[in-house]
Amino acid sequence: MLMYCVKTLLGLLALSTTAGAFEDSVTDYAPSVNVLCPDLATTEFVREWTASNQTINPNEAEYVQARINSTIAQAWNDWVDDGTQLGYNTTSFQGNFPKIGIAIPGGGLRAAQFGAAVLSGIDARNDSAKNAGTGGLLQVSSYLSGLSGGSWITGSLFFNNFPTLGELVFGNGNNLTGWLLDIAFATPDGDDVFSEYNQYFFGSILWSVMAKANTGIDTSITDPWARMISYHFLNQTNRQNFFTNDTAHGAGELWSSIPTIPAWQQYEMPFPILVTDSRPQGLNTTTALPLDPTVYEITPFEFASYDPDLSAGVNLTFAGTPMTNKKPVNATACVTGFDQAGFMMGTSASLFNQILDFAHNTLQGFSQSDGNGLLYVLSRQLSEVSTRADDVANWPNPFNGVKTATYDDANSTWLSLIDGASNGENIPLGPLFVKTRALDVIVTLDGSADDPNNWPNGTGMLFTEERLSSILEASHQQMPPLPQNAQAFVDTGARERATFFGCDPTQNPPEYPLVIYIPNMPPFNGDEPAANTGTFQLQYTPKQQQVLFDQIHNNTISGFVPNTNNADPNFGKCLQCAAVDRARYKISPVINRSNFCQTCFTQYCFNPQNPPSLSEVPNRKQLFVDPDPQGLANFLSENKNKLIGGVVGLVVFIALLIGGLIWWKKRRDQQFVAQYHQVSALHEEEELNLKRYSQYVRPESYEMSTHYESLHSPLSPRH
Ligand SMILES: *[C@@H]1O[C@H](CO)[C@@H](O)[C@H](O)[C@H]1NC(C)=O
Ligand SMILES: *[C@@H]1O[C@H](CO)[C@@H](O)[C@H](O)[C@H]1NC(C)=O
Ligand SMILES: *[C@@H]1O[C@H](CO)[C@@H](O)[C@H](O)[C@H]1NC(C)=O
Ligand SMILES: *[C@@H]1O[C@H](CO)[C@@H](O)[C@H](O)[C@H]1NC(C)=O
Ligand SMILES: *[C@@H]1O[C@H](CO)[C@@H](O)[C@H](O)[C@H]1NC(C)=O
Ligand SMILES: *[C@@H]1O[C@H](CO)[C@@H](O)[C@H](O)[C@H]1NC(C)=O
Ligand SMILES: *[C@@H]1O[C@H](CO)[C@@H](O)[C@H](O)[C@H]1NC(C)=O
Ligand SMILES: *[C@@H]1O[C@H](CO)[C@@H](O)[C@H](O)[C@H]1NC(C)=O
Ligand SMILES: *[C@@H]1O[C@H](CO)[C@@H](O)[C@H](O)[C@H]1NC(C)=O
Ligand SMILES: *[C@@H]1O[C@H](CO)[C@@H](O)[C@H](O)[C@H]1NC(C)=O
Ligand SMILES: *[C@@H]1O[C@H](CO)[C@@H](O)[C@H](O)[C@H]1NC(C)=O
Ligand SMILES: *[C@@H]1O[C@H](CO)[C@@H](O)[C@H](O)[C@H]1NC(C)=O
């Protein structure tokens, strides 16, 4: 058995070293190591600032300002025209339009689709949104932040060159093939993980992950996850090539290469930011994090944290480089290409530390089922192959030796990065509240599954409110007054309609930004909801996708008329009122709010002294109704046992990958190493691990077969 495995291992290595022969290969997932670093005397890898004197990356500042100067100026004009319809003359704003950011929440494929559908409802390129008057908000926005499922739509939008949202999600029959969500994430060829095509898929994914492991960089469950995300959300996978190695499936596309995308160069896109949390060294919790661990952000330029304790950022291009005291440990061993777009999105969505715990907890309840056994095996395997952390995204810590007095992980050589919602903040608001970014308006999409029907109840935003006021007071703006708690979000109806928060600041400049809250909510017209699907639903039929998308889009453009199920014909203009309102404060003397906008604000603003009531939004149906009961998702979401089955599918998949990874995963020296290990060291692999591995997984499933020239794909569109 040992010999067999070693032979296979050698075969794998031989194959991956010839990978360069392919022009576009899944092995492009491997970072480049031992790259000659730029001149250490003149290059700044890590930028530092303080909470009281923040700076943003100059490249970010330049992009944001250039976009404001060019496309945004024109976009305001296209959206609000001269302001007459709102009761203003925009000339009087003297060009001082508010700076706006949009935040897209977590929640798996539901959140990704929710984010896409809301964006379509505020996109000037969409006819119904344009007609409603809501279309245009996207074009005047400067920032777009995403976490977890929200990071997938964010990345997808960029790496597909900013198409319209409908085309992005559903394809355009030409060069956009859509998200292919009817193809299951974990087991694209159906439940049988040993089927021929599933094996092709796993083989390709493993090939990527092992190419990375091959460089000596620690991998984890986040890496195969990152590759799965890339198949659906990046731009190189379609039905015809899904199971082939004919394309890199997004491997080699870097987050730091976003500035080379044509739409970026035309300043068409808001500045993207992903959010990820961290589990500090020594804290090995598998449940929700408290609020104090450092929260990080990923931009095309930097991996950074504006938390006062760290206040530093590293050049994203070199983010995989072992560093200490702001310098590479070895000047001829820099790492580039660590910032794979899939891995950035995978890091932001790396919830395995919680899922696996969830699985473990679920174990007792399902001890008789097959799935149960698989979960058990998985948890055993994970504990056995664990090198450092198998259930988190492993990043070399670029901030080792930085801010030693305050930064929790200053002594760590690695960071354990996890899902951006791990601390309860399910909406990536932190980066948008950073003081120096000086946003006036924050569009907060909330697609969290808080209540038993998978609707949000404000919990994510309340966590952010608490973190802002307790930990980020020195560095961030504060949240405007919100309903006191989740129950109040429910009772006021604020979670079932567009709601504006912070409409009436008492100071100038205003003491907080204006927040436009757009929750995932039941259809305003009383239809049965299709948008409150489960976070772990990993597959949607085309019809389920379409109805979900249309419902959310309709909600976004429609507003509400109190005590009815009617659309508000003025909602578009009311949204414009909210978007421009802070401009009034920038002029001296302050311009009065127009009567029209005041009427809007009376209806849409949350007034803490006189809160709205749930009765204003009557006949909203709460219970999910599957619009495509014959469809696969019905199978996954309506039946609890089968939902577990869906998760088991994912877990089985992961178990297979982990099994494969054992070969690469020795109990490596966990100490900081300046030089990456050579893979040959793995010949010392203990027989023990191989035996355990062989007990669970058929070894032949990892044989990497040669490149298939032509492959008939079993994937044809299912309707
Ligand atoms: C630095 O990296 C190079 C590979 O680029 C390696 O040959 C050398 O041994 C390393 N130096 C140290 C001190 O680890
Ligand atoms: C703020 O930081 C910048 C850049 O680091 C520095 O040039 C400036 O002097 C600092 N200002 C204050 C008031 O400390
Ligand atoms: C934006 O416009 C202002 C005022 O015209 C100008 O000073 C600034 O240099 C411009 N910035 C960029 C990045 O284009
Ligand atoms: C807006 O104000 C400008 C400058 O005062 C003026 O020239 C213009 O006619 C006004 N527009 C409207 C629609 O009143
Ligand atoms: C698809 O084609 C259109 C028109 O030819 C082009 O504008 C767009 O950038 C292309 N999109 C991608 C992702 O290549
Ligand atoms: C793609 O390559 C991997 C690794 O060699 C292999 O396991 C997989 O079967 C290949 N897929 C096809 C369709 O050849
Ligand atoms: C995908 O996006 C990358 C990065 O923008 C681009 O270089 C590539 O041409 C695109 N590929 C396809 C097939 O559209
Ligand atoms: C967590 O870490 C502590 C010490 O670092 C250890 O004693 C404890 O067993 C760990 N708990 C788990 C669940 O791994
Ligand atoms: C990161 O480093 C590269 C190489 O030195 C440089 O070209 C790039 O401008 C840097 N990026 C930022 C955001 O400083
Ligand atoms: C880091 O290590 C130094 C020296 O061992 C110690 O004084 C310091 O408290 C440590 N910092 C943290 C945040 O653990
Ligand atoms: C709100 O959502 C949280 C989960 O995020 C849940 O624990 C809580 O019970 C919910 N509260 C209400 C009033 O719905
Ligand atoms: C969306 O609104 C349009 C126009 O009011 C309506 O025809 C359509 O049925 C709605 N779609 C959904 C899914 O609610």
Side-chain angles (χ1 to χ4, degrees):
M1 174 51 66
L2 180 60
M3 272 321 291
Y4 176 81
C5 290
V6 167
K7 265 170 66 187
T8 312
L9 176 69
L10 292 173
L12 285 170
L13 290 177
L15 258 173
S16 42
T17 50
T18 60
F22 296 88
E23 218 171 60
D24 225 9
S25 167
V26 295
T27 57
D28 296 345
Y29 186 69
S32 305
V33 296
N34 298 333
V35 173
L36 184 63
C37 302
D39 183 358
L40 298 186
T42 57
T43 308
E44 188 186 54
F45 287 87
V46 175
R47 204 171 58 80
E48 284 183 278
W49 58 89
T50 63
S52 58
N53 183 19
Q54 291 175 323
T55 51
I56 53 173
N57 184 286
N59 301 44
E60 171 185 336
E62 150 80 25
Y63 180 82
V64 169
Q65 191 55 48
R67 175 167 152 81
I68 286 175
N69 284 6
S70 54
T71 56
I72 288 185
Q74 183 58 41
W76 276 111
N77 204 48
D78 293 344
W79 191 30
V80 304
D81 196 24
D82 63 4
T84 313
Q85 289 202 312
L86 310 181
Y88 294 122
N89 181 342
T90 53
T91 310
S92 59
F93 297 154
Q94 300 162 25
N96 287 297
F97 284 101
K99 202 191 262 187
I100 303 180
I102 303 172
I104 310 182
L109 292 178
R110 178 194 64 255
Q113 295 176 90
F114 166 70
V118 172
L119 292 185
S120 81
I122 58 173
D123 185 346
R125 300 170 298 177
N126 179 287
D127 288 342
S128 62
K130 184 73 185 158
N131 290 339
T134 52
L137 179 54
L138 176 58
Q139 277 67 27
V140 299
S141 295
S142 292
Y143 286 93
L144 185 64
S145 64
L147 72 73
S148 203
S151 79
W152 305 344
I153 157 71
T154 305
S156 195
L157 201 50
F158 285 84
F159 283 90
N160 288 284
N161 198 29
F162 202 58
T164 61
L165 281 304
E167 287 191 345
L168 179 66
V169 177
F170 300 103
N172 63 4
N174 177 25
N175 58 356
L176 293 167
T177 55
W179 284 351
L180 307 174
L181 299 187
D182 56 312
I183 305 176
F185 248 57
T187 49
D189 188 38
D191 289 344
D192 176 9
V193 292
F194 294 108
S195 82
E196 191 182 1
Y197 286 96
N198 275 337
Q199 286 298 309
Y200 288 147
F201 176 68
F202 300 151
S204 294
I205 284 192
L206 268 173
W207 199 12
S208 291
V209 176
M210 286 170 181
K212 177 174 175 181
N214 203 350
T215 68
I217 296 178
D218 252 312
T219 53
S220 76
I221 211 164
T222 307
D223 293 282
W225 181 233
R227 295 299 299 137
M228 286 160 59
I229 293 166
S230 303
Y231 274 63
H232 293 272
F233 293 102
L234 296 181
N235 63 346
Q236 295 177 344
T237 304
N238 57 42
R239 286 178 198 282
Q240 286 68 45
N241 69 19
F242 200 97
F243 292 105
T244 73
N245 293 322
D246 296 347
T247 152
H249 297 291
E253 293 190 14
L254 305 180
W255 201 256
S256 61
S257 73
I258 285 178
T260 65
I261 293 170
W264 172 281
Q265 294 180 340
Q266 305 298 314
Y267 301 107
E268 282 176 40
M269 313 194 276
F271 186 84
I273 306 179
L274 305 188
V275 169
T276 178
D277 287 351
S278 67
R279 191 168 63 186
Q281 195 84 337
L283 183 66
N284 50 7
T285 174
T286 52
T287 54
L289 287 175
L291 287 173
D292 39 315
T294 312
V295 174
Y296 296 89
E297 59 168 56
I298 302 166
T299 77
F301 300 121
E302 272 181 358
F303 171 65
S305 177
Y306 285 81
D307 287 10
D309 286 355
L310 179 50
S311 299
V314 66
N315 184 327
L316 187 67
T317 298
F318 297 105
T321 304
M323 291 192 215
T324 187
N325 300 319
K326 309 203 281 176
K327 297 263 193 261
V329 165
N330 179 339
T332 61
C334 269
V335 174
T336 58
F338 183 80
D339 59 314
Q340 300 280 327
F343 189 62
M344 300 302 98
M345 297 188 279
T347 295
S348 180
S350 189
L351 39 60
F352 296 101
N353 61 317
Q354 289 188 62
I355 273 195
L356 295 174
D357 179 60
F358 158 73
H360 194 271
N361 287 343
T362 319
L363 215 61
Q364 282 85 39
F366 296 88
S367 57
Q368 300 304 310
S369 74
D370 285 354
N372 196 10
L374 289 160
L375 290 172
Y376 179 66
V377 169
L378 175 63
S379 62
R380 285 285 303 276
Q381 283 186 335
L382 277 175
S383 60
E384 285 172 22
V385 302
S386 159
T387 50
R388 54 177 315 279
D390 278 316
D391 59 345
V392 303
N394 292 307
W395 285 53
N397 183 7
F399 308 117
N400 178 277
V402 173
K403 303 281 170 85
T404 48
T406 52
Y407 173 47
D408 269 353
D409 272 325
N411 289 345
S412 315
T413 51
W414 288 87
L415 294 178
S416 296
L417 299 187
I418 53 179
D419 192 281
S422 304
N423 66 359
E425 295 184 280
N426 195 37
I427 310 168
L429 290 169
L432 304 183
F433 277 81
V434 167
K435 274 185 182 160
T436 186
R437 289 196 169 115
L439 295 192
D440 300 293
V441 179
I442 295 178
V443 182
T444 302
L445 314 193
D446 191 356
S448 316
D450 287 327
D451 79 5
N453 290 315
N454 296 327
W455 299 115
N457 68 18
T459 296
M461 214 174 13
L462 290 163
F463 272 117
T464 295
E465 176 184 47
E466 192 184 335
R467 192 164 198 273
L468 289 172
S469 64
S470 59
I471 294 172
L472 306 178
E473 213 180 349
S475 52
H476 289 59
Q477 297 196 69
Q478 293 300 297
M479 187 69 86
L482 301 178
Q484 256 185 317
N485 50 38
Q487 192 61 52
F489 263 92
V490 174
D491 295 343
T492 57
R495 63 169 189 151
E496 294 186 67
R497 35 165 281 204
T499 304
F500 309 155
F501 296 103
C503 294
D504 293 298
T506 60
Q507 299 168 19
N508 194 12
E511 64 271 32
Y512 37 65
L514 188 149
V515 168
I516 297 174
Y517 182 63
I518 305 180
N520 190 20
M521 54 187 147
F524 71 93
N525 60 9
D527 280 356
E528 291 178 322
N532 48 336
T533 51
T535 301
F536 294 106
Q537 183 173 327
L538 295 171
Q539 190 176 23
Y540 285 76
T541 68
K543 185 168 181 196
Q544 288 166 333
Q545 287 183 67
Q546 191 69 56
V547 175
L548 176 151
F549 189 95
D550 289 347
Q551 276 189 2
I552 295 169
H553 177 91
N554 277 7
N555 274 342
T556 305
I557 67 175
S558 299
F560 76 111
V561 177
N563 311 312
T564 75
N565 291 96
N566 299 333
D568 176 2
N570 285 329
F571 180 60
K573 278 179 277 174
C574 288
L575 193 67
Q576 294 172 28
C577 286
V580 301
D581 198 66
R582 289 297 198 250
R584 302 184 300 106
Y585 296 83
K586 296 176 193 281
I587 307 303
S588 179
V590 168
I591 298 168
N592 287 334
R593 188 173 286 151
S594 71
N595 289 338
F596 177 84
C597 287
Q598 187 53 52
T599 306
C600 285
F601 276 30
T602 304
Q603 179 177 336
Y604 286 99
C605 288
F606 177 79
N607 176 349
Q609 269 67 55
N610 181 21
S613 115
L614 184 55
S615 65
E616 289 178 38
V617 283
N619 308 318
R620 266 53 168 188
K621 295 202 173 69
Q622 305 290 323
L623 263 181
F624 175 78
V625 176
D626 191 336
D628 190 12
Q630 310 309 319
L632 287 156
N634 180 49
F635 173 84
L636 294 173
S637 67
E638 285 208 329
N639 178 310
K640 198 182 174 204
N641 290 328
K642 288 180 180 168
L643 168 62
I644 299 301
V647 176
V648 169
L650 174 64
V651 163
V652 170
F653 168 80
I654 289 161
L656 290 168
L657 291 161
I658 291 289
L661 280 175
I662 291 175
W663 282 328
W664 268 258
K665 291 223 163 213
K666 214 181 126 43
R667 271 182 230 101
R668 260 183 241 142
D669 187 4
Q670 293 185 23
Q671 300 310 307
F672 188 73
V673 280
Q675 189 188 356
Y676 282 112
H677 285 290
Q678 291 300 304
V679 175
S680 57
L682 293 166
H683 288 294
E684 297 157 21
E685 188 69 73
E686 282 172 50
E687 199 173 354
L688 191 61
N689 271 352
L690 295 168
K691 262 191 194 151
R692 285 187 184 132
Y693 160 73
S694 65
Q695 283 162 10
Y696 303 123
V697 185
R698 300 205 311 241
E700 63 271 29
S701 53
Y702 285 96
E703 247 179 303
M704 303 262 171
S705 50
T706 46
H707 186 71
Y708 279 58
E709 279 312 312
S710 67
L711 183 70
H712 174 73
S713 170
L715 294 176
S716 49
R718 294 171 209 172
H719 285 286

